[in-house]
Amino acid sequence: MGNMENSALIDKLEYYMGHSEDEKSMAVMFTEEEINILRTIKEFEQLRGIMESEYAERGNGGTDNAAYIEEVFQRRERERDISFRLKGQFACQADLLLEEGMAENWLQVLTWYQLLKGKGLIVNRFWEFPVLETMLQAFLEELKLFYTNGQAISVLAMHSLEEITGTYFDIVFLLRRMEYGVEPIDGMVSYLSEKGLSMTVVRTVLEAARIFDKRKVKDLLEGWFGKDG
């Protein structure tokens, strides 16, 4: 299992960042879905640059002007629209990649996610993205185990962003019931067996989720599965 596809994507993105005006190369290097994402990122950054420049020019003067305030609201509304468009484009791209159930494609999703996060775009605005980040972390943990002892990468069984978020909240629900003592451990066992997921995924979700007594839940899990289960 290699990561040549992911390395190629990183190389292409690095080229694009320095040559975004090279439309011909873009058409060859990227899919239509990828080009749409990159163009929306560029639009987002241009709008943000305009807003920052105008605010710097005005300084503290004129910011209470009614026309300026209206202009700010209009630009914020445009920013919101671009955010939702970028979210939709990224979700479609992620689903296209995840559908194939390949580790290389999960690495590409991770690359796109890190690009958006590095640019400070949308990942803190929509609840789906912290969930995706947690599952990407689970993927990386499982990838390490694959290379060290051949353990299967169970997250590959999830084939869409919707499936990822649904699975995340299912696991959190079961963890909270374990925490409050209303769900026996075999409920988690049955769920993992049904979904084909590993304890690595559960442990990663546990670390990220709002579980108050994590030590109690960890002890319950380790008592059943063992520390390396």
Side-chain angles (χ1 to χ4, degrees):
M1 184 184 301
N3 62 354
M4 292 180 62
E5 293 87 350
N6 190 55
S7 297
L9 175 59
I10 293 171
D11 290 342
K12 289 189 292 185
L13 289 172
E14 287 179 348
Y15 177 84
Y16 169 78
M17 294 308 158
H19 307 84
S20 59
E21 75 289 346
D22 188 352
E23 294 284 338
K24 288 186 178 179
S25 294
M26 279 182 64
V28 173
M29 295 164 62
F30 298 101
T31 66
E32 182 178 350
E33 291 80 9
E34 291 171 334
I35 289 173
N36 288 336
I37 293 173
L38 292 171
R39 284 177 174 159
T40 304
I41 289 173
K42 185 176 181 180
E43 183 181 353
F44 208 131
E45 291 185 314
Q46 287 173 339
L47 177 62
R48 187 162 59 183
I50 291 170
M51 295 174 70
E52 290 174 353
S53 175
E54 288 186 350
Y55 184 81
E57 287 176 5
R58 289 176 183 267
N60 293 324
T63 55
D64 57 347
N65 179 278
Y68 174 74
I69 293 172
E70 176 63 22
E71 192 175 301
V72 168
F73 274 111
Q74 289 177 355
R75 289 223 165 96
R76 289 298 182 192
E77 184 68 16
R78 185 179 166 200
E79 185 182 66
R80 186 188 73 85
D81 291 343
I82 296 172
S83 295
F84 275 96
R85 190 191 335 145
L86 184 56
K87 174 194 173 184
Q89 291 169 340
F90 174 80
C92 286
Q93 176 65 7
D95 285 351
L96 283 172
L97 291 167
L98 295 169
E99 184 179 13
E100 297 184 25
M102 297 172 58
E104 290 84 354
N105 289 16
W106 274 72
L107 284 168
Q108 289 191 50
V109 173
L110 175 63
T111 298
W112 283 107
Y113 180 85
Q114 289 176 330
L115 174 65
L116 296 179
K117 186 174 182 179
K119 290 181 171 292
L121 300 176
I122 76 170
V123 294
N124 294 323
R125 296 190 176 199
F126 300 100
W127 60 265
E128 294 94 337
F129 292 117
V131 172
L132 174 61
E133 185 169 18
T134 297
M135 288 302 194
L136 287 169
Q137 182 58 43
F139 162 71
L140 290 175
E141 294 298 324
E142 290 197 315
L143 188 62
K144 292 177 189 175
L145 292 171
F146 173 82
Y147 282 120
T148 56
N149 60 25
Q151 178 177 310
I153 305 174
S154 70
V155 296
L156 301 183
M158 294 181 282
H159 298 291
S160 69
L161 190 57
E162 181 179 3
E163 193 171 353
I164 284 173
T165 55
T167 300
Y168 174 89
F169 287 115
D170 285 346
I171 292 174
V172 171
F173 174 75
L174 291 169
L175 290 172
R176 286 178 177 162
R177 287 176 65 84
M178 288 171 60
E179 178 186 16
Y180 298 135
V182 295
E183 177 73 57
I185 188 70
D186 54 356
M188 179 67 79
V189 175
S190 297
Y191 182 80
L192 295 181
S193 177
E194 175 189 348
K195 295 291 185 179
L197 296 172
S198 74
M199 274 301 301
T200 301
V201 178
V202 176
R203 292 191 180 101
T204 306
V205 171
L206 176 59
E207 289 301 319
R210 292 183 179 178
I211 305 295
F212 295 105
D213 194 347
K214 292 187 179 183
R215 183 69 264 168
K216 174 184 177 181
V217 179
K218 282 181 182 178
D219 289 343
L220 288 170
L221 292 171
E222 289 176 2
W224 186 279
F225 295 98
K227 291 186 177 182
D228 301 319

